[in-house]
Amino acid sequence: MIIVMKKGAEQKEVDAVIQWIESVGYQAHVSKGVERTIIGAIGDEREKVRLKAAEDMPGVEKVMPILQPYKLASRETKDGDTIIQIGDVAVGGPKCVVIAGPCAVENEEQLLQTAHAVKKAGASMLRGGAFKPRTSPYSFQGLGEEGLKILAKARQETGLPIVTEVMSAADVELVEAYADVLQVGTRNVQNFALLKAVGLAKKPVLLKRGMMTTLEELLMSAEYILASGNEDVMLCERGIRTFETAMRNTLDISAVPVLKEKTHLPVIVDPSHAIGKWRFVLPLAKAAVAVGADGLMVEVHPDPQHALSDGPQSLKPKKFARLMEEIESIATIVRKDGVS
Amino acid sequence: MIIVMKKGAEQKEVDAVIQWIESVGYQAHVSKGVERTIIGAIGDEREKVRLKAAEDMPGVEKVMPILQPYKLASRETKDGDTIIQIGDVAVGGPKCVVIAGPCAVENEEQLLQTAHAVKKAGASMLRGGAFKPRTSPYSFQGLGEEGLKILAKARQETGLPIVTEVMSAADVELVEAYADVLQVGTRNVQNFALLKAVGLAKKPVLLKRGMMTTLEELLMSAEYILASGNEDVMLCERGIRTFETAMRNTLDISAVPVLKEKTHLPVIVDPSHAIGKWRFVLPLAKAAVAVGADGLMVEVHPDPQHALSDGPQSLKPKKFARLMEEIESIATIVRKDGVS
Amino acid sequence: MIIVMKKGAEQKEVDAVIQWIESVGYQAHVSKGVERTIIGAIGDEREKVRLKAAEDMPGVEKVMPILQPYKLASRETKDGDTIIQIGDVAVGGPKCVVIAGPCAVENEEQLLQTAHAVKKAGASMLRGGAFKPRTSPYSFQGLGEEGLKILAKARQETGLPIVTEVMSAADVELVEAYADVLQVGTRNVQNFALLKAVGLAKKPVLLKRGMMTTLEELLMSAEYILASGNEDVMLCERGIRTFETAMRNTLDISAVPVLKEKTHLPVIVDPSHAIGKWRFVLPLAKAAVAVGADGLMVEVHPDPQHALSDGPQSLKPKKFARLMEEIESIATIVRKDGVS
Amino acid sequence: MIIVMKKGAEQKEVDAVIQWIESVGYQAHVSKGVERTIIGAIGDEREKVRLKAAEDMPGVEKVMPILQPYKLASRETKDGDTIIQIGDVAVGGPKCVVIAGPCAVENEEQLLQTAHAVKKAGASMLRGGAFKPRTSPYSFQGLGEEGLKILAKARQETGLPIVTEVMSAADVELVEAYADVLQVGTRNVQNFALLKAVGLAKKPVLLKRGMMTTLEELLMSAEYILASGNEDVMLCERGIRTFETAMRNTLDISAVPVLKEKTHLPVIVDPSHAIGKWRFVLPLAKAAVAVGADGLMVEVHPDPQHALSDGPQSLKPKKFARLMEEIESIATIVRKDGVS
């Protein structure tokens, strides 16, 4: 933290700040400029948020953090990129990984049909929700464990690892028993009880950014999981909320290179939830690959018009196959080994 | 839902939409204008979100919802205002209710001192967090059940009902055993597992708006609680996230009259979290009372500079007493019975 | 500016930054901490934005401004509040000033009728647009000079000073010939050619905040006017753009006390444009007075349903008279001399 | 417009709305549903904004526009894409066009050096500002006509057409005398006097989206130019303002395909202003080409650390040359003829 004193702050005010800094366990380092005195606080970074309280001391103009508040997620802590191995799939490695499937598991036929189709088109993992977070209590809430069993059957038939959402700390054990990757959804990005619970799980986590989560907050949420002992965290950009109403959310494509600079964790892009309309998913998928995403998450449904959720943004299997072809050629330019 | 066909849509496209509407269980009502044909879908409102899928049918320009998706929270369902009785306190009645206390319960002395001070100044309820949702895993996470016991002791000494946060469905039973009001925090506004759990509890719920929650979504979250059987829900506006960085959040003061028009539930304002700096809490509290809020939630701490969380926005007891005096005179103008 | 070096930055990198700071005309002040070296740049504050370029030098982590970039608008430059005298009206003084009138001057009858009504209800100034900025080129664009003449006639009949918008530097001379206050509209808040032109005018300026202007940017726009020689600038908060769609804009009520702390200029609130619906104007007007605004700007129209612009947010004269009564009692509590 | 009546609205309320619709010049078309009556208003679309006033009539629930308010910019009005010919360059055709150069023209040497470098790397047009919109009145404001002359000299030497900003209606004639493309800047996107003036000019216009402009508003601003007679308008996405502070602005990459669906006008992307840091410009440029942009606008400066504006986001010529190579291979995949 840097504490900037007001122009003309008196010495006794400076002294009081120094004394207070020391009283809460930090060392003070004073630097006098022509117009302002600046005081640095040195010590354990992780609890420095408390130092913001200095802002109310007489003579203080403002208090500015100078270090990012996450450690384990930071590139300062770890050299190289985290590569997460899920069966044969390596997320964060030379290939751009594609996770595909329906928003919700509706029944066995729907899921198996989709699983075979996305497998054939070249996807590496299968997604599908058994527990569905829905804005309305009257909307379809998912099949629960029945859905997990259907997912497990699809894995058995296709060999595709399963990515599925867990909505509550109480369900982690159950979902972990079936899934290969635990997804933490957008609305739970700061559900700290859930973050701690998946941090204790033995399966990798796909953490979706909230609609109004800053990149720093997203990394802090990842830090919760890492600090609980689970090192396998994938971040997922899926669109943020802005004033624009022409699309469902605004895909923050810049988040990919900015995150890749700050963290060693892999970054996935979900163009389907971002844009909300299937006919724009293809161009956004191309952009995501071009910008350097480690993977894509795409919604595919055999009959979008009768889907129980997110129909408008789901691709039919045939259009998904075309997407796989079109991104392959871009991926071979920007990554070593193309799409998987 | 209204489905607007494109200019020049063909009759067979209109027919296909009608057929599809009927296939998913609704009746279609067609209205032909000079330029456009418009088709209304009639039937169970609650699952109408599925009708958005029509947007991808040939000839369809857009699909527009015409009704709000919440029912129990709506003024259409209930006449008059919901008044929630908590001991002697009536939230939503003629008095503007003030809930005050520290962000976190730190120890017995800190809490009891604050409790007596806010009681003396005229507050009606005591707030204080035993389970603290913190952005950083390294920040103080609260005292847990120990904190709940301290809160119960403060109630015993002062008679003030206790408002405290519950962060996880698994903790509802525990928190309910001590608290008078269960608070659902900003970051859990769409933690649907938690909403269902507090919906089954026997204590009133104070539901804080998320930083990015629209008023409609907030009412949908309230609907989850109401639909689970708990009728006593207070909504709390606590600042939304915008581009402005001069304050912690942007207090959406207009939310108060707009919510009061849409719903029968009481609306509370939390100026402390909204602005993030104690010296602006007083003017915002006055504005909240003037705009018609049913209550205020204000952070008070005996020693803000050593608070374990939210020190910069906490009022000292003396300043809180002055706030109570200043809002009293405004409350007597805008409400029947002033502040309690 | 403070330049924060990366952890482990080498001495030669520090030296290079120092050398560069001096090469662009500043002095460097080095402060070595345990983990980081911090370099302050001392010199003319106003061109310091250029120092941001240091961010790309080897070993630099980030560059942080420590002073606000405006001078003349700041309380550091001027003691006390700016009070702007317009005829008998003093904006920024003990009274809360109300500016009322229609969005657009439509014809003589409409304007004179409104002028007499708002005068009778106690308003201090008359607003009305002769040049109208409209999102659509097909909407009514205002009466131009003909409208200015009608405004002048209304002033002659009622004695109310005239507030009217000027949209282009080329029109400043013309509008100044008729108006008492030159309004710079929301969409022109960073039209720097216009800001310079009104800065050279002899009439006070009412500067509306843009829908996505930060308070710092608003003060920088005021600085353009002040730096051109015009000291009489009123700032106007009129709602910002957020994700919320339940109202036209989000009234940033906190902007009032925050601006009042940063600047000596008066701050006006326009609840009509903020909320966009007349039935919420009254509670917001009360909130604005309670929070400490120096004035209000309210849209009034004798026949809102036939207004050529902004009908939905305009009050009928009778409702405006009631508003004047209700805010009077709040103003007498929060200000010395009530409403004028 | 569709006017939705409240549940249980009385027949006399419906009749009053019909009568009022007719009184303002439209025809009413009534459609009675089971729960609600819906009334369509038929007639001249362009002034329909006035119909919003119906929202205040007794029994009315809400008023919803069903058509977009722009005509000339819409694909409904014109078949095929607009291709703008500027010398040998065709914007909107099979090639992706790159406009490059410094933010500001600082002196002849700086500009000519940059011009030759970007020409050599393969850029098709030269950008450079002679009139600079700066947030601070104390920042470098541009060389004015002297800058335009330097730009003209660069065109003479390199053959590159010139893109430069015009900030005020009064300057259009002067800038038009030197420039090949008139740029309207972000902060002037709703400076309607300027839009009308460039609409009367004989040179193509590059219209930058505002930081808070919706796509619909951007198209309405384009409509101002088209309606004044100038058919050659390029739209430019350059980042919007959101809550995220990790980058200068949030590049709204989805705007490209969404705009391309709505309008026949070419869409350019400016990654430099969006991200604000040169080291992220390359990945964003690739994403913009991949998503289908008709062109890029990239800031290049021979000595970014001594640039008078926007140094941190400017590429050195060598890095720009590498960017041209890397986007070429993506462009050949997504467009017929690659980059020009």
Side-chain angles (χ1 to χ4, degrees), chain A residues 14-87:
Chain A
V14 174
D15 292 342
V17 172
I18 293 169
Q19 203 178 333
W20 175 79
I21 287 174
E22 291 169 358
S23 80
V24 291
Y26 291 86
Q27 279 179 271
H29 182 274
V30 180
S31 158
K32 287 189 192 273
V34 173
E35 288 206 341
R36 311 263 159 164
T37 295
I38 288 164
I39 306 171
I42 297 159
D44 179 12
E45 289 297 325
R46 298 176 308 180
E47 263 287 11
K48 280 202 172 165
V49 63
R50 289 183 55 200
L51 294 172
K52 285 294 280 180
E55 216 152 67
D56 291 314
M57 299 189 72
V60 173
E61 171 131 343
K62 61 176 161 181
V63 178
M64 303 188 300
I66 60 167
L67 298 184
Q68 69 280 17
Y70 46 88
K71 299 284 150 193
L72 302 174
S74 162
R75 285 208 181 268
E76 288 198 2
T77 310
K78 179 176 175 176
D79 287 332
D81 292 333
T82 287
I83 297 180
I84 302 173
Q85 198 69 37
I86 304 153

Side-chain angles (χ1 to χ4, degrees), chain A residues 166-173 175 188 191 193-194 197, chain B residues 168-170 191 193-194:
Chain A
V166 55
M167 284 177 62
S168 178
D171 296 334
V172 170
E173 208 176 339
V175 177
N188 280 321
N191 178 339
L194 179 58
Chain B
S168 178
N191 178 339
L194 179 58

Side-chain angles (χ1 to χ4, degrees), chain A residues 206-225:
Chain A
L206 187 147
L207 175 64
K208 297 192 96 173
R209 182 184 185 185
M211 275 176 275
M212 235 172 208
T213 312
T214 62
L215 297 185
E216 186 173 293
E217 287 169 341
L218 176 62
L219 289 167
M220 289 306 292
S221 289
E223 188 84 3
Y224 260 95
I225 303 171

Side-chain angles (χ1 to χ4, degrees), chain C:
Chain C
M1 286 285 178
I2 288 178
I3 293 156
V4 181
M5 301 300 293
K6 282 184 185 153
K7 197 171 156 178
E10 294 171 32
Q11 185 58 40
K12 66 175 185 189
E13 292 171 337
V14 174
D15 291 343
V17 171
I18 295 169
Q19 202 178 336
W20 175 78
I21 287 173
E22 291 170 358
S23 81
V24 292
Y26 291 86
Q27 280 178 270
H29 182 272
V30 180
S31 158
K32 288 191 192 271
V34 173
E35 288 209 339
R36 309 264 160 165
T37 295
I38 288 165
I39 307 170
I42 297 158
D44 179 11
E45 288 297 325
R46 297 176 308 182
E47 263 287 13
K48 279 202 174 166
V49 63
R50 288 183 54 199
L51 294 173
K52 286 291 279 178
E55 217 152 65
D56 291 315
M57 297 189 73
V60 173
E61 171 129 344
K62 61 178 162 179
V63 178
M64 304 187 300
I66 60 167
L67 299 183
Q68 70 280 19
Y70 48 88
K71 298 286 150 189
L72 303 173
S74 162
R75 286 207 181 267
E76 289 198 0
T77 310
K78 181 175 175 178
D79 288 332
D81 292 332
T82 287
I83 297 178
I84 302 173
Q85 199 69 36
I86 305 153
D88 295 340
V89 185
V91 180
K95 286 195 174 187
C96 177
V97 168
V98 178
I99 306 164
C103 179
V105 180
E106 296 170 11
N107 56 59
E108 193 173 308
E109 189 193 346
Q110 167 246 19
L111 189 74
L112 293 183
Q113 189 183 342
T114 312
H116 284 289
V118 301
K119 163 90 176 180
K120 192 178 159 198
S124 354
M125 293 200 267
L126 179 68
R127 62 152 291 161
F131 295 92
K132 295 303 307 167
R134 303 301 295 275
T135 308
S136 165
Y138 310 120
S139 295
F140 175 59
Q141 307 273 317
L143 297 179
E145 188 168 5
E146 176 61 22
L148 295 173
K149 287 179 181 165
I150 297 174
L151 284 163
K153 186 163 182 192
R155 172 176 50 205
Q156 202 179 3
E157 289 201 8
T158 62
L160 294 172
I162 298 302
V163 181
T164 198
E165 179 160 353
V166 54
M167 284 177 60
S168 177
D171 294 334
V172 170
E173 207 175 342
L174 173 67
V175 176
E176 203 185 350
Y178 292 94
D180 299 287
V181 175
L182 303 173
Q183 178 178 320
V184 173
T186 287
R187 290 163 188 78
N188 281 320
V189 68
Q190 292 192 319
N191 177 340
F192 302 114
L194 178 59
L195 295 176
K196 287 176 186 174
V198 298
L200 296 170
K202 303 294 175 218
K203 297 282 173 66
V205 176
L206 187 147
L207 175 63
K208 298 192 98 172
R209 183 184 185 184
M211 274 175 275
M212 233 170 210
T213 311
T214 63
L215 296 184
E216 185 173 295
E217 287 170 340
L218 177 61
L219 289 167
M220 288 306 293
S221 289
E223 188 84 4
Y224 260 96
I225 303 171
L226 298 169
S228 298
N230 191 338
E231 294 181 7
D232 291 341
V233 179
M234 294 161 255
L235 305 172
C236 181
E237 160 61 30
R238 44 77 70 209
I240 58 173
R241 184 165 278 181
T242 69
F243 62 85
E244 180 59 74
T245 55
M247 53 281 279
R248 182 168 173 176
N249 294 286
T250 298
L251 182 65
D252 181 6
I253 198 89
S254 319
V256 179
V258 173
L259 280 172
K260 296 294 288 179
E261 184 179 90
K262 291 178 186 289
T263 185
H264 49 85
L265 300 171
V267 181
I268 309 289
V269 169
D270 173 350
S272 306
H273 280 87
I275 192 76
K277 289 191 185 153
W278 68 265
R279 65 190 185 277
F280 299 121
V281 169
L282 174 58
L284 290 186
K286 290 192 225 174
V289 173
V291 92
D294 294 304
L296 295 182
M297 186 146 172
V298 179
E299 289 197 340
V300 179
H301 194 287
D303 182 10
Q305 276 175 20
H306 292 89
L308 295 181
S309 73
D310 282 351
Q313 71 202 32
S314 297
L315 292 176
K316 290 184 188 171
K318 204 170 157 182
K319 291 208 171 78
F320 174 70
R322 192 183 138 210
L323 176 146
M324 289 299 288
E325 281 168 32
E326 297 211 17
I327 62 172
E328 174 69 41
S329 53
I330 295 177
T332 52
I333 294 170
V334 295
R335 297 184 85 83
K336 239 188 334 210
D337 292 355
V339 179
S340 89

Side-chain angles (χ1 to χ4, degrees), chain B residues 45 67 104 113 119-120 181 186 209-210 212 215 219 238 254 271-273 290 293 319 331:
Chain B
E45 287 297 324
L67 299 183
Q113 190 182 341
K119 162 91 174 178
K120 193 178 157 197
V181 175
T186 288
R209 182 183 184 185
M212 43 119 286
L215 297 184
L219 289 167
R238 45 77 70 211
S254 319
S272 306
H273 280 88
K319 291 211 172 76

